[in-house]
Amino acid sequence: MNNPASNANETLTAAARSLRNVRMMPIGSKSQALRRAHYWGKLSKAVIAVGAVMIGAGIVGAIIDGIGFWGVMITVIVGAAAAYLMMRYPEMPMPTIESLRQTDLATLAGKTEIWLEAQRPALPAPAVTLMQDIGLRLDQLAPQLQALDENDPAAREVRKLVGEHLPELINGYKKIPDSLKNKEYAGKTPVQQLVDGLKTIDREIETMTGQISRGELDKLAVRGRYLAMRYDDPDANGRVV
């Protein structure tokens, strides 16, 4: 006979495991692409470093007519150490709110995804699920950003949305004490406000992507003013306060 309490515990355990897996997954392909580029950059430096050690050993061996057993061992150790250091350092820099505001459009989507992935441990489950949707939207937005000039007004509106409004929404939630996150304020709990805000930003990224692809940059500027009013007004509905 099934034990209801045991079944409930198993269900909760499975749900917790599933959420933990989601928190570890990349939310988009652009963050993965940046990580791959960083890895291959370090690997190429490691190969060059090992090659330089081998060439140096060969030159020394030619000059002194061989480096002997211990010379070979030293060469291997130095080569391995060089490879380790090149693969270990430098670590991929973590984007910050300040760097997101200044990063180039080509890497804005990927760096925003990396920043969002780092925030997931501090966010509630509904928000973590929404991160996957926002990651998909950012992947769709990234090619459209290639059509924009860095100084284009539309580029500034996109940068404001994903580089300012989105991080400010999440950081506003994180500053709230845990004891208050599920208490109502202005008709909603901070968790509900966060989720509603993320849903709004998700829709806005989708809308911006379509407007850029259709060349409707004037409409994009209008939506940027709407978002500024929504998120810059401390009494606006949906803002985490």
Side-chain angles (χ1 to χ4, degrees):
M1 183 175 180
N2 290 334
N3 187 332
S6 176
N7 290 340
N9 287 336
E10 290 178 3
T11 301
L12 289 173
T13 301
R17 187 182 301 115
S18 176
L19 178 60
R20 187 163 56 248
N21 291 338
V22 170
R23 290 184 191 276
M24 296 175 63
M25 291 170 53
I27 66 171
S29 64
K30 301 306 175 184
S31 62
Q32 291 177 287
L34 288 179
R35 287 193 176 93
R36 281 196 299 268
H38 183 71
Y39 171 81
W40 286 110
K42 291 198 296 185
L43 182 61
S44 64
K45 291 179 181 178
V47 170
I48 292 172
V50 172
V53 171
M54 299 298 291
I55 291 172
I59 293 173
V60 171
I63 293 174
I64 63 175
D65 194 23
I67 58 176
F69 172 78
W70 290 111
V72 171
M73 293 302 295
I74 291 173
T75 300
V76 170
I77 292 171
V78 171
Y84 172 79
L85 290 174
M86 292 296 103
M87 293 301 295
R88 183 71 178 83
Y89 303 102
E91 295 182 354
M92 186 170 184
M94 177 58 62
T96 63
I97 294 179
E98 290 72 23
S99 67
L100 288 177
R101 290 171 179 166
Q102 300 172 8
T103 191
D104 59 285
L105 292 175
T107 60
L108 179 59
K111 289 181 179 178
T112 302
E113 290 175 5
I114 291 174
W115 186 86
L116 289 172
E117 289 165 2
Q119 310 311 308
R120 289 180 297 188
L123 300 181
V128 172
T129 301
L130 279 169
M131 290 292 187
Q132 301 300 127
D133 296 333
I134 292 176
L136 176 62
R137 300 296 183 205
L138 289 169
D139 282 349
Q140 295 168 344
L141 175 65
Q144 306 305 329
L145 295 180
Q146 305 299 321
L148 297 180
D149 184 85
E150 289 284 348
N151 298 317
D152 196 304
R156 290 197 293 270
E157 298 304 335
V158 172
R159 199 185 298 278
K160 267 186 189 177
L161 178 64
V162 302
E164 294 184 26
H165 296 317
L166 179 56
E168 286 171 2
L169 176 70
I170 292 173
N171 278 347
Y173 171 83
K174 289 169 62 178
K175 290 177 182 177
I176 298 172
D178 291 341
S179 60
L180 299 178
K181 286 179 178 176
N182 287 297
K183 291 187 177 181
E184 284 195 7
Y185 177 87
K188 291 184 179 181
T189 66
V191 171
Q192 291 170 328
Q193 292 180 37
L194 172 66
V195 169
D196 287 348
L198 290 175
K199 287 179 179 178
T200 298
I201 288 177
D202 179 39
R203 290 193 299 268
E204 291 303 322
I205 295 175
E206 181 182 25
T207 300
M208 284 184 167
T209 301
Q211 288 175 338
I212 294 173
S213 67
R214 295 190 297 269
E216 298 172 343
L217 303 186
D218 291 338
K219 291 183 180 179
L220 184 57
V222 171
R223 296 197 71 82
R225 288 192 288 272
Y226 156 74
L227 284 168
M229 292 173 59
R230 178 184 179 91
Y231 287 99
D232 292 343
D233 178 4
D235 297 322
N237 182 34
R239 180 185 173 93
V240 175
V241 293

